[in-house]
Amino acid sequence: MKIAIMGAMLEEVEPFLSHSEHEPLLKHFVKTNEMRYGGNTYHEGTYKNLEIVLAYSKIGKVNATLTAATLLEKFGADVLLFTGVAGAINPALNIGDLVAATALCQHDLDISIFGHPHGFVPEGAVYVKPSTELLATAQRVAKAKGVNLRHGIIATGDQFIASAKRKEWVAQTFQADAIEMEGAAVAVVCDALKVPFFILRAISDAADMDAQFDFDAFLKESAKVSSSFVIAMLEELSHG
Ligand code: SAH
């Protein structure tokens, strides 16, 4: 089985590449090749019996779309696991909390003037859902490790949200729990190409007026919370 691991920013995938920080968790990751393609670097390797291809896309939906499609079409990944950070919308989520997406939507996709719901385009859907099997795997891993893994709706758009007003609108319109800038793009690509996917985010900020400062302060720490969990999922997948 070939597994794609994807992030948006270098900080989100760096823990997979710097073995020392995740010893002994990542000691089984063996890198075999590195390739530049379409402006991104793709790292290939193995983790026990799993083939791995890993990349970060750069920020935003367009970049995420290119990288997700490349991971699936050029590298032939059978499964995609996304790891990264997000802003909290649900007030019950705190910095460092892990959220696995149960559905993803694009909060900035708007042809509502024609009478369509926000986030909808004809022949599309407002919400795209990740693989229930991978969500179940994540739940098993969380239970075994004693990790409090939350589930929720993730809203994606091409803006860094640092506004109580926009946050409230996204909460009301999409019942979203967290907000970021790539997840729904990855979801649309994987759904269209029928590849099971899983989107994990650790909270870095509350998408409010302090978001910019919190993001800078907690990016690395939260990125590690998310990547550590994905590594534990790899371990579980290597047994299946
Ligand atoms: N500081 C960075 C920009 C970060 S953009 C720079 O200067 O290069 C925020 C990234 O983290 C995006 O990849 C997005 O997916 C995620 N994210 C975290 N908090 C967010 C928020 N409040 N709104 C939107 N995206 C957020």
Side-chain angles (χ1 to χ4, degrees):
M1 179 157 58
K2 194 176 216 180
I3 304 200
I5 299 171
M6 176 176 167
M9 304 175 69
L10 175 60
E11 289 86 346
E12 292 170 330
V13 298
E14 215 164 28
F16 293 91
L17 301 170
S18 52
H19 287 213
S20 54
E21 286 190 20
H22 272 88
E23 291 287 8
L25 261 182
L26 206 50
K27 69 172 182 243
H28 299 289
F29 185 67
V30 182
K31 201 166 145 176
T32 55
N33 193 29
E34 196 179 301
M35 193 200 283
R36 285 290 292 173
Y37 184 79
N40 296 102
T41 303
Y42 292 82
H43 304 268
E44 293 177 275
T46 57
Y47 182 90
K48 296 191 172 172
N49 56 343
L50 304 172
E51 281 181 86
I52 305 287
V53 51
L54 178 146
Y56 74 92
S57 58
K58 302 192 283 286
I59 295 162
K61 292 196 292 180
V62 175
N63 286 323
T65 301
L66 173 63
T67 298
T70 300
L71 286 164
L72 307 190
E73 289 290 286
K74 186 172 174 62
F75 290 92
D78 304 301
V79 163
L80 187 150
L81 309 177
F82 188 101
T83 176
V85 301
I89 292 194
N90 185 331
L93 290 172
N94 298 308
I95 287 170
D97 284 352
L98 272 174
V99 186
T102 50
L104 298 107
C105 58
Q106 299 180 61
H107 68 81
D108 60 349
L109 184 56
D110 182 358
I111 55 166
S112 60
I113 197 157
F114 295 100
H116 298 294
H118 285 276
F120 178 85
V121 292
E123 299 182 44
V126 175
Y127 298 102
V128 180
K129 292 187 175 165
S131 148
T132 48
E133 283 82 14
L134 288 171
L135 278 165
T137 304
Q139 203 46 54
R140 271 202 311 281
V141 169
K143 206 172 165 202
K145 296 219 161 275
V147 171
N148 185 9
L149 176 69
R150 318 289 193 90
H151 293 92
I153 295 175
I154 293 186
T156 302
D158 279 328
Q159 296 118 23
F160 183 81
I161 304 302
S163 142
K165 199 170 160 216
R166 181 70 187 171
K167 208 176 127 167
E168 182 57 27
W169 183 84
V170 173
Q172 292 299 326
T173 310
F174 297 101
Q175 290 74 53
D177 298 291
I179 195 155
E180 37 84 308
M181 302 177 66
E182 300 84 16
V186 173
V188 169
V189 170
C190 293
D191 185 63
L193 297 173
K194 300 192 171 30
V195 170
F197 69 97
F198 174 76
I199 310 272
L200 183 69
R201 295 278 185 173
I203 299 301
S204 56
D205 58 83
D208 56 9
M209 62 186 212
D210 296 325
Q212 174 195 352
F213 308 104
D214 288 342
F215 178 88
D216 282 343
F218 297 107
L219 165 63
K220 283 198 175 174
E221 213 171 292
S222 294
K224 266 180 220 159
V225 171
S226 181
S227 56
S228 296
F229 192 85
V230 166
I231 292 164
M233 280 182 76
L234 288 183
E235 185 61 36
E236 174 78 13
L237 291 169
S238 76
H239 298 144

